[in-house]
Amino acid sequence: MQFWVYMLECADGSYYVGHTDSLERRIAQHHAGDVPGCYTFNRRPLTLVWSQEFPSRMEALTSERQIKGWSRAKKLALIANDWPRLSELAKGRAQAQKSLAETAGAGSPCEERGSTGSPRTDVGGMRMHDSVKDKDLEWMRHAFALAERAEREFDEIPVGAVLVDADGQVLGEGWNRNILDHDPSAHAEIVAMREAGRVSGNHRLVGTTLYVTLEPCAMCAMALVHARVARLVYGAGDPKTGACGSVFDVIADPRHNHRVEVLGGVLGDEAGRRLTNYFRAKRGRPLV
């Protein structure tokens, strides 16, 4: 199955970047104003100005999020297939960030970051940097352990989440408790943020990072925005209800008054396999 990343020019001159498994169908949906959670419905007519095919949804999703964070100049260079200009713009930004870091006494240059807050990977043949940090892997494994408790102790769907502050201290953690608490809102992310709010004595969780094993749904994505969480790192994408790029892109809507940096697919294969095996076991099917 192939996936596409595409860019639309809106009537107001802005650009919309998305991904899909059927480019023709998705463009038709945009023209009809039938893409759920998308702001292009009131910015028509739309023009498809760029698209590229990718072999997997995760690669398409990663590229989509990176391009969304690009400046208008970089997007125009991409549309024109002007790779020398694109490279020049990337180097110019990297040099500016290096100078800023040195001025601030950071001691090391900052890497260019997109809307995900992550260093670049390959996009359209242009070489960037790896995006996953050691601490991201460590905290995702911690979230895996929480997910295991959900399944082992409560027979809940194994999704775990942990919220840490800028100093790496745990403020809240949890796992799915929908069945246990008879609460449709008790997703792992909500449980972790509720605990963090109680611990910090504040409904705003500024400067924090949430690690969760599954891409948040629309409810949890909006809770992250309302709580002013700085960064989201998730494991497996959710092709049915994911609201951070897979099905909806609620969290990246430019109309929000807060931006959450997003990094998806961290230990994504393992996260997806754990969830798949939970449901296969429920149905008496062999594990993968």
Side-chain angles (χ1 to χ4, degrees):
M1 190 172 187
Q2 298 298 302
F3 298 87
W4 294 84
V5 177
Y6 61 93
M7 190 185 310
L8 299 174
E9 183 175 7
C10 304
D12 61 1
S14 63
Y15 291 102
Y16 175 86
V17 181
H19 81 281
T20 180
D21 60 0
S22 175
L23 185 61
E24 184 177 353
R25 182 185 71 236
R26 180 50 61 92
I27 298 305
Q29 290 174 328
H30 276 293
H31 285 312
D34 291 336
V35 180
C38 180
Y39 63 82
T40 57
F41 71 96
N42 61 355
R43 300 188 184 185
R44 293 173 286 172
L46 309 167
T47 304
L48 177 66
V49 292
W50 176 85
S51 63
Q52 182 169 322
E53 195 173 10
F54 290 84
S56 72
R57 182 183 294 276
M58 188 52 63
E59 288 182 63
L61 179 59
T62 299
S63 297
E64 173 198 353
R65 292 201 166 280
Q66 291 166 349
I67 296 170
K68 279 182 174 179
W70 284 5
S71 66
R72 183 178 181 85
K74 289 185 72 175
K75 289 174 181 175
L76 289 172
L78 180 64
I79 293 169
N81 288 321
D82 189 348
W83 299 111
R85 175 60 175 162
L86 196 57
S87 180
E88 178 185 344
L89 290 168
K91 289 178 181 177
R93 169 120 183 231
Q95 183 59 47
Q97 290 180 320
K98 178 179 179 180
S99 299
L100 179 61
E102 291 172 346
T103 301
S108 62
C110 301
E111 294 175 305
E112 183 178 7
R113 298 178 181 273
S115 61
T116 61
S118 61
R120 307 293 189 179
T121 53
D122 288 335
V123 178
M126 186 173 175
R127 182 64 183 171
M128 302 293 183
H129 299 284
D130 190 12
S131 59
V132 182
K133 301 176 182 178
D134 289 342
K135 67 176 182 179
D136 293 333
L137 299 176
E138 292 171 7
W139 285 119
M140 188 58 67
R141 291 191 180 100
H142 182 88
F144 283 159
L146 297 170
E148 288 173 1
R149 289 194 61 185
E151 179 178 3
R152 183 178 65 250
E153 299 178 22
F154 306 103
D155 197 26
E156 293 270 7
I157 295 174
V159 178
V162 56
L163 189 83
V164 301
D165 65 18
D167 296 322
Q169 300 298 311
V170 175
L171 294 180
E173 61 184 26
W175 50 83
N176 275 12
R177 298 176 60 94
N178 303 98
I179 299 171
L180 179 67
D181 293 345
H182 311 293
D183 182 355
S185 69
H187 288 188
E189 303 95 310
I190 301 296
V191 174
M193 284 190 283
R194 283 174 178 165
E195 181 180 339
R198 288 191 294 267
V199 168
S200 62
N202 197 332
H203 68 295
R204 301 297 194 198
L205 304 172
V206 178
T208 58
T209 298
L210 181 79
Y211 295 88
V212 61
T213 57
L214 179 66
E215 179 184 0
C217 66
M219 173 185 70
C220 295
M222 283 309 304
L224 289 166
V225 174
H226 289 310
R228 304 295 190 265
V229 170
R231 186 168 179 255
L232 164 69
V233 180
Y234 68 83
D238 185 347
K240 292 186 177 180
T241 62
C244 300
S246 290
V247 180
F248 313 104
D249 206 358
V250 173
I251 206 165
D253 193 305
R255 291 169 292 187
H256 293 321
N257 59 358
H258 173 70
R259 299 287 181 268
V260 180
E261 296 180 357
V262 180
L263 176 60
V266 175
L267 298 179
D269 289 343
E270 182 178 351
R273 184 170 60 253
R274 287 168 179 262
L275 285 162
T276 296
N277 282 338
Y278 171 80
F279 289 109
R280 291 181 74 90
K282 286 286 186 183
R283 300 179 177 107
R285 300 171 64 183
L287 305 185
V288 295

